[in-house]
Amino acid sequence: MTEPLVLGIESSCDETGVGIVRGTELLAHVVASSVDEHVRFGGVVPEVASRAHLEAMVPALEQAYADSGVRIQDVDAVAVTCGPGLTGALLVGVAAAKALALAHDKPLYGLNHLAAHVAVDQLEHGRIEGRVAALLVSGGHSEILLVDDITCDITLLGQTIDDAAGEAFDKVARLLGLPYPGGPHIDRIAADGDPTAIAFPRALTAARDQARHRWDFSFSGLKSAVSRHVQREALAGRELPVADVAASFQDAVCDVLTRKAVEACLEHDVSTLVIGGGVAANSRLRHYAEQRAAEAGIEIRVPRMGLCTDNGAMVAALGAEVVRRGHRPSSLDLPADSGLPVTQVVAG
């Protein structure tokens, strides 16, 4: 059988992504980001993001066709992120995908954003064979997943019970006077700091948390601890050692994320860990992941940075796998579901 040729659309937050994939081969990868429009607000404004998607969708589609030499008439299916994400932003992508599918008589697949973050690794390292674990870390998500089948069998092992890791980076960056988005700026500043300078808390790692929150994360208390430290230094009239604070905060986040992910692999007899999401670009996270995985004999798979952040290629990659496995398409009354659970890979 020929490998499926799939058009993927992503619009769950502040990136309008269009990708075209044949099997595990990436043919087009177009991303239009509205991040600059959110900088003055210090975070993503849903209405601004939705309007940006409306403006960027058609140009992104046209660019993807031009880059790949593929016409919409040529594709086997149209795949789109239908959740989780911002409702208004999701609606733009879902409406565009429905229009294309209906106008050109193509099957439509509404797909889970989180599963797509795992599936995109197939474009980088080949097909995922057998059971793997996944650590997804971004501005909106922090989860550990157990993946038996990327198209239909995903178990949520743990997730954040408050702030996502990327959200915590943004909030701490604001405390330190650094621009939005905070992750890249904290990573840059932390390179000149001492990660052991300040003993910030590692939430949900104590023995008492093991029964209820074995694989869960919490970063709200860590953010508050940084805030109190900044306030104490100001009240004492001392100059804040920004690099040390950034390095110590970053170390606390990445330590917990990677420690729990590797422990989950060992406990569930998994030999491969896939890492995805925008925070996968963080240098400290990669350092800890590589070191701990090597010690535990676990293979680490991390897509290149352009495929870690939200993009249409990841949706097309999952769509191609779903089509290849013969799953039924979604209906044309497919809704946008901001709370779509990761256990539902293909929405009806």
PDB file of all heavy atoms in Angstrom, residues 153-194:
ATOM      1  N   ASP A 153      -4.363   3.878  21.788  1.00  0.00           N
ATOM      2  CA  ASP A 153      -4.161   3.310  23.126  1.00  0.00           C
ATOM      3  C   ASP A 153      -3.107   4.110  23.895  1.00  0.00           C
ATOM      4  O   ASP A 153      -1.928   3.781  23.903  1.00  0.00           O
ATOM      5  CB  ASP A 153      -3.733   1.848  23.002  1.00  0.00           C
ATOM      6  CG  ASP A 153      -3.771   1.110  24.344  1.00  0.00           C
ATOM      7  OD1 ASP A 153      -4.079   1.760  25.366  1.00  0.00           O
ATOM      8  OD2 ASP A 153      -3.492  -0.093  24.361  1.00  0.00           O
ATOM      9  N   ILE A 154      -3.557   5.200  24.521  1.00  0.00           N
ATOM     10  CA  ILE A 154      -2.677   6.073  25.307  1.00  0.00           C
ATOM     11  C   ILE A 154      -3.237   6.182  26.716  1.00  0.00           C
ATOM     12  O   ILE A 154      -4.437   6.420  26.905  1.00  0.00           O
ATOM     13  CB  ILE A 154      -2.572   7.476  24.676  1.00  0.00           C
ATOM     14  CG1 ILE A 154      -1.962   7.382  23.268  1.00  0.00           C
ATOM     15  CG2 ILE A 154      -1.738   8.399  25.549  1.00  0.00           C
ATOM     16  CD1 ILE A 154      -1.860   8.716  22.553  1.00  0.00           C
ATOM     17  N   THR A 155      -2.371   5.999  27.701  1.00  0.00           N
ATOM     18  CA  THR A 155      -2.753   6.113  29.104  1.00  0.00           C
ATOM     19  C   THR A 155      -2.088   7.332  29.716  1.00  0.00           C
ATOM     20  O   THR A 155      -0.884   7.532  29.556  1.00  0.00           O
ATOM     21  CB  THR A 155      -2.329   4.859  29.889  1.00  0.00           C
ATOM     22  OG1 THR A 155      -2.895   3.705  29.270  1.00  0.00           O
ATOM     23  CG2 THR A 155      -2.783   4.942  31.335  1.00  0.00           C
ATOM     24  N   LEU A 156      -2.873   8.142  30.403  1.00  0.00           N
ATOM     25  CA  LEU A 156      -2.325   9.292  31.118  1.00  0.00           C
ATOM     26  C   LEU A 156      -1.836   8.816  32.482  1.00  0.00           C
ATOM     27  O   LEU A 156      -2.630   8.435  33.336  1.00  0.00           O
ATOM     28  CB  LEU A 156      -3.392  10.371  31.284  1.00  0.00           C
ATOM     29  CG  LEU A 156      -2.996  11.597  32.108  1.00  0.00           C
ATOM     30  CD1 LEU A 156      -1.886  12.387  31.417  1.00  0.00           C
ATOM     31  CD2 LEU A 156      -4.214  12.499  32.352  1.00  0.00           C
ATOM     32  N   LEU A 157      -0.510   8.848  32.672  1.00  0.00           N
ATOM     33  CA  LEU A 157       0.053   8.433  33.967  1.00  0.00           C
ATOM     34  C   LEU A 157       0.028   9.572  34.971  1.00  0.00           C
ATOM     35  O   LEU A 157      -0.288   9.381  36.147  1.00  0.00           O
ATOM     36  CB  LEU A 157       1.494   7.947  33.781  1.00  0.00           C
ATOM     37  CG  LEU A 157       1.709   6.658  32.991  1.00  0.00           C
ATOM     38  CD1 LEU A 157       3.191   6.301  32.964  1.00  0.00           C
ATOM     39  CD2 LEU A 157       0.900   5.508  33.588  1.00  0.00           C
ATOM     40  N   GLY A 158       0.406  10.757  34.529  1.00  0.00           N
ATOM     41  CA  GLY A 158       0.470  11.893  35.442  1.00  0.00           C
ATOM     42  C   GLY A 158       0.435  13.199  34.694  1.00  0.00           C
ATOM     43  O   GLY A 158       0.758  13.266  33.505  1.00  0.00           O
ATOM     44  N   GLN A 159       0.059  14.262  35.418  1.00  0.00           N
ATOM     45  CA  GLN A 159      -0.021  15.585  34.802  1.00  0.00           C
ATOM     46  C   GLN A 159       0.129  16.648  35.885  1.00  0.00           C
ATOM     47  O   GLN A 159       0.100  16.344  37.078  1.00  0.00           O
ATOM     48  CB  GLN A 159      -1.349  15.754  34.082  1.00  0.00           C
ATOM     49  CG  GLN A 159      -2.555  15.669  35.006  1.00  0.00           C
ATOM     50  CD  GLN A 159      -3.861  15.691  34.253  1.00  0.00           C
ATOM     51  OE1 GLN A 159      -3.968  16.295  33.194  1.00  0.00           O
ATOM     52  NE2 GLN A 159      -4.885  15.033  34.796  1.00  0.00           N
ATOM     53  N   THR A 160       0.259  17.896  35.463  1.00  0.00           N
ATOM     54  CA  THR A 160       0.350  18.956  36.452  1.00  0.00           C
ATOM     55  C   THR A 160      -1.008  19.161  37.113  1.00  0.00           C
ATOM     56  O   THR A 160      -2.049  19.045  36.454  1.00  0.00           O
ATOM     57  CB  THR A 160       0.827  20.276  35.817  1.00  0.00           C
ATOM     58  OG1 THR A 160       0.887  21.288  36.829  1.00  0.00           O
ATOM     59  CG2 THR A 160      -0.102  20.736  34.714  1.00  0.00           C
ATOM     60  N   ILE A 161      -0.987  19.452  38.400  1.00  0.00           N
ATOM     61  CA  ILE A 161      -2.245  19.698  39.109  1.00  0.00           C
ATOM     62  C   ILE A 161      -2.512  21.199  39.221  1.00  0.00           C
ATOM     63  O   ILE A 161      -3.531  21.600  39.781  1.00  0.00           O
ATOM     64  CB  ILE A 161      -2.232  19.048  40.506  1.00  0.00           C
ATOM     65  CG1 ILE A 161      -1.140  19.643  41.394  1.00  0.00           C
ATOM     66  CG2 ILE A 161      -2.087  17.544  40.400  1.00  0.00           C
ATOM     67  CD1 ILE A 161      -1.192  19.149  42.837  1.00  0.00           C
ATOM     68  N   ASP A 162      -1.610  22.013  38.672  1.00  0.00           N
ATOM     69  CA  ASP A 162      -1.827  23.462  38.658  1.00  0.00           C
ATOM     70  C   ASP A 162      -1.189  24.059  37.404  1.00  0.00           C
ATOM     71  O   ASP A 162      -1.672  23.847  36.307  1.00  0.00           O
ATOM     72  CB  ASP A 162      -1.319  24.127  39.952  1.00  0.00           C
ATOM     73  CG  ASP A 162       0.014  23.559  40.433  1.00  0.00           C
ATOM     74  OD1 ASP A 162       1.000  23.606  39.664  1.00  0.00           O
ATOM     75  OD2 ASP A 162       0.082  23.074  41.581  1.00  0.00           O
ATOM     76  N   ASP A 163      -0.085  24.795  37.556  1.00  0.00           N
ATOM     77  CA  ASP A 163       0.574  25.402  36.400  1.00  0.00           C
ATOM     78  C   ASP A 163       1.294  24.356  35.557  1.00  0.00           C
ATOM     79  O   ASP A 163       1.872  23.407  36.088  1.00  0.00           O
ATOM     80  CB  ASP A 163       1.616  26.436  36.848  1.00  0.00           C
ATOM     81  CG  ASP A 163       0.995  27.667  37.476  1.00  0.00           C
ATOM     82  OD1 ASP A 163      -0.243  27.811  37.376  1.00  0.00           O
ATOM     83  OD2 ASP A 163       1.725  28.478  38.059  1.00  0.00           O
ATOM     84  N   ALA A 164       1.267  24.549  34.237  1.00  0.00           N
ATOM     85  CA  ALA A 164       2.138  23.759  33.363  1.00  0.00           C
ATOM     86  C   ALA A 164       3.554  24.311  33.484  1.00  0.00           C
ATOM     87  O   ALA A 164       3.760  25.441  33.934  1.00  0.00           O
ATOM     88  CB  ALA A 164       1.658  23.855  31.919  1.00  0.00           C
ATOM     89  N   ALA A 165       4.540  23.516  33.077  1.00  0.00           N
ATOM     90  CA  ALA A 165       5.941  23.938  33.209  1.00  0.00           C
ATOM     91  C   ALA A 165       6.205  25.230  32.445  1.00  0.00           C
ATOM     92  O   ALA A 165       6.822  26.163  32.969  1.00  0.00           O
ATOM     93  CB  ALA A 165       6.855  22.820  32.716  1.00  0.00           C
ATOM     94  N   GLY A 166       5.737  25.299  31.201  1.00  0.00           N
ATOM     95  CA  GLY A 166       5.974  26.502  30.403  1.00  0.00           C
ATOM     96  C   GLY A 166       5.299  27.724  30.989  1.00  0.00           C
ATOM     97  O   GLY A 166       5.827  28.836  30.928  1.00  0.00           O
ATOM     98  N   GLU A 167       4.125  27.518  31.572  1.00  0.00           N
ATOM     99  CA  GLU A 167       3.408  28.611  32.235  1.00  0.00           C
ATOM    100  C   GLU A 167       4.214  29.126  33.426  1.00  0.00           C
ATOM    101  O   GLU A 167       4.305  30.344  33.658  1.00  0.00           O
ATOM    102  CB  GLU A 167       2.042  28.101  32.688  1.00  0.00           C
ATOM    103  CG  GLU A 167       1.141  29.142  33.306  1.00  0.00           C
ATOM    104  CD  GLU A 167      -0.180  28.542  33.774  1.00  0.00           C
ATOM    105  OE1 GLU A 167      -0.366  27.308  33.650  1.00  0.00           O
ATOM    106  OE2 GLU A 167      -1.021  29.317  34.269  1.00  0.00           O
ATOM    107  N   ALA A 168       4.815  28.212  34.186  1.00  0.00           N
ATOM    108  CA  ALA A 168       5.647  28.608  35.325  1.00  0.00           C
ATOM    109  C   ALA A 168       6.863  29.410  34.846  1.00  0.00           C
ATOM    110  O   ALA A 168       7.254  30.398  35.474  1.00  0.00           O
ATOM    111  CB  ALA A 168       6.095  27.372  36.104  1.00  0.00           C
ATOM    112  N   PHE A 169       7.469  28.995  33.740  1.00  0.00           N
ATOM    113  CA  PHE A 169       8.596  29.755  33.184  1.00  0.00           C
ATOM    114  C   PHE A 169       8.163  31.178  32.845  1.00  0.00           C
ATOM    115  O   PHE A 169       8.896  32.141  33.118  1.00  0.00           O
ATOM    116  CB  PHE A 169       9.123  29.058  31.927  1.00  0.00           C
ATOM    117  CG  PHE A 169      10.206  28.049  32.189  1.00  0.00           C
ATOM    118  CD1 PHE A 169       9.900  26.709  32.359  1.00  0.00           C
ATOM    119  CD2 PHE A 169      11.541  28.435  32.270  1.00  0.00           C
ATOM    120  CE1 PHE A 169      10.897  25.770  32.607  1.00  0.00           C
ATOM    121  CE2 PHE A 169      12.545  27.510  32.513  1.00  0.00           C
ATOM    122  CZ  PHE A 169      12.223  26.167  32.686  1.00  0.00           C
ATOM    123  N   ASP A 170       6.987  31.329  32.247  1.00  0.00           N
ATOM    124  CA  ASP A 170       6.506  32.665  31.873  1.00  0.00           C
ATOM    125  C   ASP A 170       6.283  33.541  33.103  1.00  0.00           C
ATOM    126  O   ASP A 170       6.642  34.722  33.121  1.00  0.00           O
ATOM    127  CB  ASP A 170       5.203  32.557  31.076  1.00  0.00           C
ATOM    128  CG  ASP A 170       5.413  31.977  29.694  1.00  0.00           C
ATOM    129  OD1 ASP A 170       6.548  32.053  29.177  1.00  0.00           O
ATOM    130  OD2 ASP A 170       4.435  31.437  29.122  1.00  0.00           O
ATOM    131  N   LYS A 171       5.692  32.969  34.150  1.00  0.00           N
ATOM    132  CA  LYS A 171       5.383  33.736  35.357  1.00  0.00           C
ATOM    133  C   LYS A 171       6.656  34.135  36.106  1.00  0.00           C
ATOM    134  O   LYS A 171       6.773  35.254  36.611  1.00  0.00           O
ATOM    135  CB  LYS A 171       4.454  32.942  36.267  1.00  0.00           C
ATOM    136  CG  LYS A 171       3.048  32.800  35.697  1.00  0.00           C
ATOM    137  CD  LYS A 171       2.150  31.942  36.587  1.00  0.00           C
ATOM    138  CE  LYS A 171       0.734  31.870  36.034  1.00  0.00           C
ATOM    139  NZ  LYS A 171      -0.138  30.992  36.861  1.00  0.00           N
ATOM    140  N   VAL A 172       7.620  33.217  36.168  1.00  0.00           N
ATOM    141  CA  VAL A 172       8.878  33.525  36.857  1.00  0.00           C
ATOM    142  C   VAL A 172       9.682  34.543  36.050  1.00  0.00           C
ATOM    143  O   VAL A 172      10.321  35.430  36.618  1.00  0.00           O
ATOM    144  CB  VAL A 172       9.685  32.234  37.119  1.00  0.00           C
ATOM    145  CG1 VAL A 172      11.107  32.552  37.549  1.00  0.00           C
ATOM    146  CG2 VAL A 172       8.982  31.402  38.194  1.00  0.00           C
ATOM    147  N   ALA A 173       9.638  34.437  34.737  1.00  0.00           N
ATOM    148  CA  ALA A 173      10.330  35.425  33.895  1.00  0.00           C
ATOM    149  C   ALA A 173       9.806  36.823  34.192  1.00  0.00           C
ATOM    150  O   ALA A 173      10.577  37.789  34.288  1.00  0.00           O
ATOM    151  CB  ALA A 173      10.140  35.082  32.419  1.00  0.00           C
ATOM    152  N   ARG A 174       8.491  36.938  34.367  1.00  0.00           N
ATOM    153  CA  ARG A 174       7.901  38.245  34.687  1.00  0.00           C
ATOM    154  C   ARG A 174       8.416  38.755  36.029  1.00  0.00           C
ATOM    155  O   ARG A 174       8.729  39.943  36.181  1.00  0.00           O
ATOM    156  CB  ARG A 174       6.373  38.105  34.716  1.00  0.00           C
ATOM    157  CG  ARG A 174       5.631  39.436  34.682  1.00  0.00           C
ATOM    158  CD  ARG A 174       4.125  39.229  34.643  1.00  0.00           C
ATOM    159  NE  ARG A 174       3.749  38.337  33.571  1.00  0.00           N
ATOM    160  CZ  ARG A 174       2.878  37.355  33.700  1.00  0.00           C
ATOM    161  NH1 ARG A 174       2.304  37.121  34.868  1.00  0.00           N
ATOM    162  NH2 ARG A 174       2.565  36.584  32.682  1.00  0.00           N
ATOM    163  N   LEU A 175       8.539  37.857  37.008  1.00  0.00           N
ATOM    164  CA  LEU A 175       9.072  38.249  38.320  1.00  0.00           C
ATOM    165  C   LEU A 175      10.507  38.759  38.217  1.00  0.00           C
ATOM    166  O   LEU A 175      10.925  39.630  38.984  1.00  0.00           O
ATOM    167  CB  LEU A 175       9.037  37.054  39.275  1.00  0.00           C
ATOM    168  CG  LEU A 175       7.674  36.572  39.769  1.00  0.00           C
ATOM    169  CD1 LEU A 175       7.816  35.248  40.505  1.00  0.00           C
ATOM    170  CD2 LEU A 175       7.042  37.621  40.682  1.00  0.00           C
ATOM    171  N   LEU A 176      11.250  38.182  37.266  1.00  0.00           N
ATOM    172  CA  LEU A 176      12.662  38.554  37.119  1.00  0.00           C
ATOM    173  C   LEU A 176      12.875  39.686  36.121  1.00  0.00           C
ATOM    174  O   LEU A 176      14.013  40.040  35.810  1.00  0.00           O
ATOM    175  CB  LEU A 176      13.468  37.323  36.673  1.00  0.00           C
ATOM    176  CG  LEU A 176      13.444  36.114  37.626  1.00  0.00           C
ATOM    177  CD1 LEU A 176      14.283  34.973  37.064  1.00  0.00           C
ATOM    178  CD2 LEU A 176      13.931  36.511  39.011  1.00  0.00           C
ATOM    179  N   GLY A 177      11.784  40.229  35.596  1.00  0.00           N
ATOM    180  CA  GLY A 177      11.895  41.335  34.650  1.00  0.00           C
ATOM    181  C   GLY A 177      12.331  40.908  33.269  1.00  0.00           C
ATOM    182  O   GLY A 177      12.884  41.707  32.493  1.00  0.00           O
ATOM    183  N   LEU A 178      12.080  39.640  32.920  1.00  0.00           N
ATOM    184  CA  LEU A 178      12.462  39.125  31.607  1.00  0.00           C
ATOM    185  C   LEU A 178      11.246  39.107  30.691  1.00  0.00           C
ATOM    186  O   LEU A 178      10.117  39.000  31.143  1.00  0.00           O
ATOM    187  CB  LEU A 178      13.026  37.703  31.746  1.00  0.00           C
ATOM    188  CG  LEU A 178      14.272  37.566  32.620  1.00  0.00           C
ATOM    189  CD1 LEU A 178      14.645  36.098  32.799  1.00  0.00           C
ATOM    190  CD2 LEU A 178      15.436  38.337  32.022  1.00  0.00           C
ATOM    191  N   PRO A 179      11.455  39.199  29.365  1.00  0.00           N
ATOM    192  CA  PRO A 179      10.335  39.271  28.419  1.00  0.00           C
ATOM    193  C   PRO A 179       9.563  37.969  28.296  1.00  0.00           C
ATOM    194  O   PRO A 179      10.031  36.898  28.680  1.00  0.00           O
ATOM    195  CB  PRO A 179      11.021  39.621  27.080  1.00  0.00           C
ATOM    196  CG  PRO A 179      12.409  40.035  27.419  1.00  0.00           C
ATOM    197  CD  PRO A 179      12.762  39.349  28.699  1.00  0.00           C
ATOM    198  N   TYR A 180       8.367  38.077  27.698  1.00  0.00           N
ATOM    199  CA  TYR A 180       7.542  36.923  27.323  1.00  0.00           C
ATOM    200  C   TYR A 180       7.886  36.551  25.883  1.00  0.00           C
ATOM    201  O   TYR A 180       8.129  37.430  25.065  1.00  0.00           O
ATOM    202  CB  TYR A 180       6.064  37.298  27.447  1.00  0.00           C
ATOM    203  CG  TYR A 180       5.122  36.249  26.891  1.00  0.00           C
ATOM    204  CD1 TYR A 180       4.700  35.194  27.682  1.00  0.00           C
ATOM    205  CD2 TYR A 180       4.678  36.316  25.566  1.00  0.00           C
ATOM    206  CE1 TYR A 180       3.851  34.224  27.168  1.00  0.00           C
ATOM    207  CE2 TYR A 180       3.839  35.351  25.049  1.00  0.00           C
ATOM    208  CZ  TYR A 180       3.426  34.306  25.852  1.00  0.00           C
ATOM    209  OH  TYR A 180       2.594  33.348  25.346  1.00  0.00           O
ATOM    210  N   PRO A 181       7.901  35.255  25.550  1.00  0.00           N
ATOM    211  CA  PRO A 181       7.738  34.085  26.419  1.00  0.00           C
ATOM    212  C   PRO A 181       8.984  33.836  27.260  1.00  0.00           C
ATOM    213  O   PRO A 181      10.112  34.052  26.803  1.00  0.00           O
ATOM    214  CB  PRO A 181       7.488  32.952  25.429  1.00  0.00           C
ATOM    215  CG  PRO A 181       8.134  33.397  24.157  1.00  0.00           C
ATOM    216  CD  PRO A 181       8.024  34.878  24.122  1.00  0.00           C
ATOM    217  N   GLY A 182       8.769  33.381  28.490  1.00  0.00           N
ATOM    218  CA  GLY A 182       9.853  33.348  29.463  1.00  0.00           C
ATOM    219  C   GLY A 182      10.880  32.250  29.303  1.00  0.00           C
ATOM    220  O   GLY A 182      12.040  32.425  29.686  1.00  0.00           O
ATOM    221  N   GLY A 183      10.473  31.091  28.738  1.00  0.00           N
ATOM    222  CA  GLY A 183      11.371  29.938  28.683  1.00  0.00           C
ATOM    223  C   GLY A 183      12.728  30.202  28.063  1.00  0.00           C
ATOM    224  O   GLY A 183      13.773  29.945  28.693  1.00  0.00           O
ATOM    225  N   PRO A 184      12.792  30.719  26.837  1.00  0.00           N
ATOM    226  CA  PRO A 184      14.095  30.948  26.205  1.00  0.00           C
ATOM    227  C   PRO A 184      14.953  31.954  26.960  1.00  0.00           C
ATOM    228  O   PRO A 184      16.175  31.800  27.030  1.00  0.00           O
ATOM    229  CB  PRO A 184      13.718  31.486  24.814  1.00  0.00           C
ATOM    230  CG  PRO A 184      12.326  31.022  24.581  1.00  0.00           C
ATOM    231  CD  PRO A 184      11.670  30.985  25.922  1.00  0.00           C
ATOM    232  N   HIS A 185      14.323  32.961  27.555  1.00  0.00           N
ATOM    233  CA  HIS A 185      15.088  33.997  28.269  1.00  0.00           C
ATOM    234  C   HIS A 185      15.660  33.455  29.577  1.00  0.00           C
ATOM    235  O   HIS A 185      16.810  33.754  29.933  1.00  0.00           O
ATOM    236  CB  HIS A 185      14.196  35.213  28.516  1.00  0.00           C
ATOM    237  CG  HIS A 185      13.749  35.883  27.263  1.00  0.00           C
ATOM    238  ND1 HIS A 185      14.591  36.642  26.477  1.00  0.00           N
ATOM    239  CD2 HIS A 185      12.545  35.884  26.630  1.00  0.00           C
ATOM    240  CE1 HIS A 185      13.928  37.094  25.423  1.00  0.00           C
ATOM    241  NE2 HIS A 185      12.695  36.657  25.498  1.00  0.00           N
ATOM    242  N   ILE A 186      14.876  32.653  30.297  1.00  0.00           N
ATOM    243  CA  ILE A 186      15.386  32.056  31.532  1.00  0.00           C
ATOM    244  C   ILE A 186      16.524  31.090  31.212  1.00  0.00           C
ATOM    245  O   ILE A 186      17.551  31.066  31.895  1.00  0.00           O
ATOM    246  CB  ILE A 186      14.251  31.345  32.302  1.00  0.00           C
ATOM    247  CG1 ILE A 186      13.350  32.389  32.956  1.00  0.00           C
ATOM    248  CG2 ILE A 186      14.824  30.385  33.358  1.00  0.00           C
ATOM    249  CD1 ILE A 186      12.210  31.824  33.774  1.00  0.00           C
ATOM    250  N   ASP A 187      16.370  30.302  30.173  1.00  0.00           N
ATOM    251  CA  ASP A 187      17.413  29.354  29.778  1.00  0.00           C
ATOM    252  C   ASP A 187      18.714  30.097  29.457  1.00  0.00           C
ATOM    253  O   ASP A 187      19.807  29.674  29.852  1.00  0.00           O
ATOM    254  CB  ASP A 187      16.943  28.550  28.568  1.00  0.00           C
ATOM    255  CG  ASP A 187      17.757  27.280  28.344  1.00  0.00           C
ATOM    256  OD1 ASP A 187      18.558  26.910  29.230  1.00  0.00           O
ATOM    257  OD2 ASP A 187      17.596  26.650  27.288  1.00  0.00           O
ATOM    258  N   ARG A 188      18.593  31.215  28.753  1.00  0.00           N
ATOM    259  CA  ARG A 188      19.778  32.001  28.371  1.00  0.00           C
ATOM    260  C   ARG A 188      20.461  32.609  29.601  1.00  0.00           C
ATOM    261  O   ARG A 188      21.669  32.501  29.767  1.00  0.00           O
ATOM    262  CB  ARG A 188      19.357  33.102  27.401  1.00  0.00           C
ATOM    263  CG  ARG A 188      20.455  34.080  27.015  1.00  0.00           C
ATOM    264  CD  ARG A 188      19.949  35.070  25.977  1.00  0.00           C
ATOM    265  NE  ARG A 188      18.713  35.723  26.381  1.00  0.00           N
ATOM    266  CZ  ARG A 188      18.654  36.758  27.207  1.00  0.00           C
ATOM    267  NH1 ARG A 188      19.770  37.250  27.752  1.00  0.00           N
ATOM    268  NH2 ARG A 188      17.499  37.322  27.522  1.00  0.00           N
ATOM    269  N   ILE A 189      19.664  33.233  30.472  1.00  0.00           N
ATOM    270  CA  ILE A 189      20.216  33.875  31.674  1.00  0.00           C
ATOM    271  C   ILE A 189      20.800  32.833  32.625  1.00  0.00           C
ATOM    272  O   ILE A 189      21.848  33.046  33.262  1.00  0.00           O
ATOM    273  CB  ILE A 189      19.114  34.674  32.399  1.00  0.00           C
ATOM    274  CG1 ILE A 189      18.630  35.838  31.543  1.00  0.00           C
ATOM    275  CG2 ILE A 189      19.604  35.170  33.748  1.00  0.00           C
ATOM    276  CD1 ILE A 189      19.626  36.946  31.356  1.00  0.00           C
ATOM    277  N   ALA A 190      20.141  31.675  32.729  1.00  0.00           N
ATOM    278  CA  ALA A 190      20.568  30.624  33.658  1.00  0.00           C
ATOM    279  C   ALA A 190      21.946  30.073  33.326  1.00  0.00           C
ATOM    280  O   ALA A 190      22.634  29.525  34.201  1.00  0.00           O
ATOM    281  CB  ALA A 190      19.549  29.497  33.672  1.00  0.00           C
ATOM    282  N   ALA A 191      22.365  30.209  32.085  1.00  0.00           N
ATOM    283  CA  ALA A 191      23.677  29.698  31.681  1.00  0.00           C
ATOM    284  C   ALA A 191      24.808  30.359  32.470  1.00  0.00           C
ATOM    285  O   ALA A 191      25.886  29.773  32.645  1.00  0.00           O
ATOM    286  CB  ALA A 191      23.885  29.923  30.185  1.00  0.00           C
ATOM    287  N   ASP A 192      24.564  31.572  32.977  1.00  0.00           N
ATOM    288  CA  ASP A 192      25.571  32.287  33.770  1.00  0.00           C
ATOM    289  C   ASP A 192      25.334  32.172  35.268  1.00  0.00           C
ATOM    290  O   ASP A 192      26.013  32.831  36.061  1.00  0.00           O
ATOM    291  CB  ASP A 192      25.594  33.777  33.380  1.00  0.00           C
ATOM    292  CG  ASP A 192      25.985  33.984  31.926  1.00  0.00           C
ATOM    293  OD1 ASP A 192      26.883  33.265  31.452  1.00  0.00           O
ATOM    294  OD2 ASP A 192      25.394  34.864  31.270  1.00  0.00           O
ATOM    295  N   GLY A 193      24.360  31.353  35.671  1.00  0.00           N
ATOM    296  CA  GLY A 193      24.038  31.248  37.084  1.00  0.00           C
ATOM    297  C   GLY A 193      24.419  29.905  37.683  1.00  0.00           C
ATOM    298  O   GLY A 193      24.852  28.984  36.985  1.00  0.00           O
ATOM    299  N   ASP A 194      24.225  29.807  38.994  1.00  0.00           N
ATOM    300  CA  ASP A 194      24.525  28.583  39.743  1.00  0.00           C
ATOM    301  C   ASP A 194      23.217  27.872  40.066  1.00  0.00           C
ATOM    302  O   ASP A 194      22.404  28.383  40.845  1.00  0.00           O
ATOM    303  CB  ASP A 194      25.259  28.951  41.042  1.00  0.00           C
ATOM    304  CG  ASP A 194      25.559  27.739  41.913  1.00  0.00           C
ATOM    305  OD1 ASP A 194      25.266  26.599  41.490  1.00  0.00           O
ATOM    306  OD2 ASP A 194      26.089  27.944  43.026  1.00  0.00           O
TER     307      ASP A 194
END
